[in-house]
Amino acid sequence: STIDRARFKATIVSKGTKIDNLVQIGHNVVIGKHSIIVAQTGISGSVRIGNYVVIGGQTGVIGHVEICDGVKIGAQSGVTKSILKPGNYRGFPITEYTEFNKYLVRLRKIADRADKIIDLEKRLVER
C-alpha cells in the first residue's frame, strides 16, 4: 500500500483504521477512526473520510469529496460525489445499496423484454 505525503498540509490516518494491501491513498487525505479500506482501492487527494467507514475492494474515490461517518461502500464501486448520509452504497456511480440492487434486477430482464418488444412489433406489422 502507498500513502502519499502531503506537501503543505497533512495526510492523516486516524487511530484504529485498517488498510489492506494494494491500497493507494492520495495526498492530503484524512481518514477517521476505526475505518477499514480493503485491497485495490484508490483514494485521490484531499478526500475526507469519516469514522467507522468501510470501503470494499477495487473501489475508486475521486478527489476532494467527503464520506461521512458510518458509510459502507461495496466492492468495485466508484465514488464520484460526496456521501453525506450514513448507509450502504455500491456501484458506479455510487448509489444506495437497495436502489443499485433494483437496477441490477431490471438489467438482467432487459434481454427478455427486448425479445417481447420485437415480437409485439412483428404482430403489429402483421395486422
Side-chain angles (χ1 to χ4, degrees):
S1 295
T2 303
I3 301 174
D4 291 348
R5 191 182 95 186
R7 183 171 180 192
F8 297 113
K9 294 183 180 181
T11 301
I12 299 170
V13 178
S14 299
K15 177 182 177 180
T17 289
K18 307 290 188 258
I19 299 171
D20 201 359
N21 57 326
L22 300 172
V23 172
Q24 169 70 42
I25 298 174
H27 64 282
N28 263 7
V29 170
V30 175
I31 302 172
K33 298 178 195 171
H34 305 288
S35 292
I36 299 171
I37 303 170
V38 182
Q40 296 182 346
T41 291
I43 301 171
S44 297
S46 300
V47 170
R48 301 286 177 259
I49 297 173
N51 301 315
Y52 305 99
V53 172
V54 177
I55 300 177
Q58 296 182 333
T59 293
V61 182
I62 68 164
H64 304 277
V65 298
E66 180 181 342
I67 300 172
C68 72
D69 295 348
V71 168
K72 294 178 185 168
I73 299 172
Q76 297 182 330
S77 294
V79 181
T80 58
K81 59 185 177 184
S82 291
I83 302 173
L84 304 175
K85 185 176 118 183
N88 298 326
Y89 297 84
R90 74 183 282 207
F92 181 83
I94 198 80
T95 309
E96 287 190 29
Y97 199 82
T98 53
E99 287 301 312
F100 189 78
N101 287 342
K102 288 177 189 176
Y103 164 78
L104 286 179
V105 168
R106 289 182 189 125
L107 185 62
R108 288 186 192 130
K109 294 179 180 180
I110 284 178
D112 291 338
R113 291 182 178 161
D115 290 341
K116 287 178 184 177
I117 290 170
I118 291 168
D119 185 50
L120 288 171
E121 287 174 339
K122 284 180 185 175
R123 282 200 237 165
L124 284 173
V125 170
E126 291 170 359
R127 285 185 169 192

